[in-house]
Amino acid sequence: MGALNDLLMPKLGLTMTEGMLIEWSVAAGDEVKAGDPLFVVETDKVANEISAEADGLIGEILVQAGETVPVGSVVARWTGPGQSADLESNVMAEHETASAPVQSGTTLAEPASRGSRIVATPLARRLARELEVDLASVGGTGPGGRIKAADVRHAGEQALAVQHMDAAKPAKPAAPAQDAGRRVAASGLVQSMARRMTQAKQVPHFYLAAEAEVSELLALRRRLNAQSDAPRLTLNHFVIAAVARALVALPAQNRIWNDDHIVQFQDIDVGVAVTTERGLMAPVLHGLDGATLDGIARQSDALLERVRSGNATRDDMSGGAISISNAGMFNVTYMTPIINPPQSAILGVGSIREIFRPDAQGAPTLRREMGLVLAADHRLHDGASALKFLNCVIELLQDPYRLLRTHIQG
């Protein structure tokens, strides 16, 4: 066997920091060809099959199926191309030994602290939070007394053993306990989405709400859907088209914040929130500049089918500066959504309400209004620019015949 190189957890998205390795397609000792599947990574968005970049032999598996590790962690070693292990950081070395149990004969160092600072690897710190272990009481076996993940696991097992001993002691009769509920294991996808939603609320949101009068849009949709030789159009297809045209007219809205700089997109991509059996997903429609309503309908229907069947690609789940979350079918006047990082905005769409409003002469007129709420990232957008964008979308929905044209004038 030739020299072994490292296979790393890949970075599959702009904001991806960790991934769950949910399945290995190979085992130690297997020979693989370029393009053969190696393992499957599940992020908060989609499951991604990672393939071999070249021919090689799998030397050893370091991360087992079901484990979540940071981007850049060594998951296996093989004879194909890769980074040498001695070039990786202490975090990578930690993952090589994290699964090894602490032997009973191992002498533990004093709790790893330098002054008031506890020296521990990032993985050990995360495990300590999950297992509710006080790092100040853990002895480290790493270099210089550094606390490793195995040390935290060992401390957690010891604490659990003490709890079991205490539980075995006779206890005084107690009053019936209240129902504390049943713990249900969350999948890696659900855990990752929960973390991302928590991160999303760190984005400085602001919200703008308005209504679009959609009587003409409803009439146009009925006429177009009466044509049996064309795709069936939903209200969401019109909203997607309006948002895409507004991005063309106002390119300053087509950008995101990434760390300490702004990313300006040239392509017109729009995300669409969709409910699946695995949870809420936000796939992205790409290349909508100049797209027709029929084209948007076909592309959207195909994309949602791939997502719901579990066949979405990495490209399907990434890109764009804005998404649409349409809850109109659930009887809600306004939908106040949460931005999906790294995007910088999301448009919430509510149900259509019939309401009487006074016309120019003051006489009551029946209107059909769709409630819209735009959530925007205040690091990039302000009230004036976001209102200009929202009003552009509303104008297109209220004059839907403009959406039949390929381009609009900004």
Side-chain angles (χ1 to χ4, degrees):
M1 182 184 297
L4 294 180
N5 293 312
D6 294 339
L7 279 172
L8 307 180
M9 172 63 71
K11 186 176 181 67
L12 301 176
L14 195 61
T15 60
M16 177 180 171
T17 58
E18 62 181 17
M20 173 182 281
L21 199 158
I22 60 174
E23 178 185 336
W24 276 104
S25 304
V26 296
D30 287 353
E31 291 187 0
V32 296
K33 300 293 185 181
D36 286 351
L38 297 178
F39 56 93
V40 179
V41 175
E42 186 175 71
T43 67
D44 56 301
K45 293 184 175 182
V46 69
N48 298 273
E49 187 175 78
I50 308 303
S51 302
E53 297 179 359
D55 297 352
L57 176 71
I58 304 299
E60 55 181 332
I61 303 294
L62 300 177
V63 173
Q64 301 304 313
E67 292 187 37
T68 299
V69 295
V71 168
S73 300
V74 182
V75 299
R77 288 194 175 90
W78 72 324
T79 59
Q83 287 182 293
S84 176
D86 57 7
L87 297 178
E88 299 300 317
S89 65
N90 288 334
V91 175
M92 309 311 156
E94 162 63 9
H95 284 285
E96 297 174 18
T97 58
S99 60
V102 177
Q103 301 297 322
S104 58
T106 301
T107 301
L108 295 179
E110 291 298 316
S113 60
R114 297 173 182 169
S116 60
R117 177 172 172 265
I118 295 174
V119 182
T121 67
L123 180 59
R125 292 181 183 277
R126 194 178 76 184
L127 282 175
R129 289 193 298 270
E130 294 175 354
L131 300 177
E132 298 182 353
V133 171
D134 183 4
L135 284 176
S137 65
V138 178
T141 60
R146 177 186 291 266
I147 298 173
K148 303 189 299 182
D151 301 327
V152 176
R153 291 193 182 95
H154 183 62
E157 292 169 357
Q158 288 183 327
L160 189 61
V162 171
Q163 291 177 7
H164 287 166
M165 292 176 60
D166 291 342
K169 296 179 181 178
K172 296 180 180 180
Q178 294 183 347
D179 183 3
R182 180 173 61 91
R183 293 173 64 89
V184 179
S187 69
L189 179 64
V190 172
Q191 293 181 46
S192 187
M193 285 194 297
R195 287 192 295 269
R196 279 182 60 81
M197 287 299 97
T198 301
Q199 295 169 0
K201 291 305 291 184
Q202 306 308 309
V203 174
H205 288 56
F206 71 97
Y207 303 93
L208 300 170
E211 298 83 27
E213 210 292 319
V214 293
S215 295
E216 286 195 40
L217 187 152
L218 294 174
L220 174 61
R221 176 174 173 259
R222 282 194 298 270
R223 291 184 62 183
L224 293 175
N225 282 341
Q227 302 172 9
S228 59
D229 58 343
R232 181 170 179 79
L233 299 174
T234 68
L235 290 176
N236 216 42
H237 295 149
F238 284 90
V239 177
I240 294 168
V243 169
R245 304 296 172 83
L247 288 175
V248 173
L250 301 167
Q253 301 300 310
N254 196 22
R255 55 184 183 169
I256 64 172
W257 183 268
N258 183 32
D259 294 331
D260 59 351
H261 60 277
I262 296 170
V263 178
Q264 176 71 54
F265 293 127
Q266 303 302 319
D267 294 337
I268 304 300
D269 304 330
V270 177
V272 181
V274 55
T275 301
T276 72
E277 293 181 354
R278 303 173 69 223
L280 184 66
M281 311 289 280
V284 178
L285 293 160
H286 294 280
L288 298 185
D289 186 8
T292 63
L293 275 170
D294 286 351
I296 288 173
R298 292 190 182 95
Q299 185 179 348
S300 175
D301 293 347
L303 175 64
L304 298 189
E305 175 60 29
R306 290 196 298 274
V307 172
R308 291 188 171 118
S309 63
N311 295 318
T313 66
R314 189 186 313 171
D315 287 342
D316 287 337
M317 303 304 299
S318 60
I322 186 172
S323 284
I324 297 167
S325 183
N326 190 340
M329 68 291 294
F330 296 119
N331 188 28
V332 59
T333 303
Y334 294 101
M335 170 69 174
T336 305
I338 300 174
I339 296 171
N340 181 30
Q343 293 185 342
S344 63
I346 184 168
L347 181 67
V349 181
S351 307
I352 296 175
R353 303 296 193 199
E354 293 188 342
I355 188 169
F356 283 96
R357 302 279 193 193
D359 62 14
Q361 289 71 41
T365 303
L366 181 64
R367 292 167 56 92
R368 295 171 178 84
E369 297 181 351
M370 175 189 289
L372 301 173
V373 179
L374 178 67
D377 184 344
H378 224 322
R379 294 173 298 182
L380 286 164
H381 310 301
D382 56 30
S385 63
L387 274 173
K388 188 174 181 180
F389 177 81
L390 179 58
N391 285 328
C392 183
V393 172
I394 291 172
E395 289 169 5
L396 288 163
L397 294 175
Q398 294 185 156
D399 186 9
Y401 292 93
R402 296 172 64 190
L403 297 175
L404 299 179
R405 296 178 176 174
T406 303
H407 289 283
I408 64 169
Q409 296 298 319

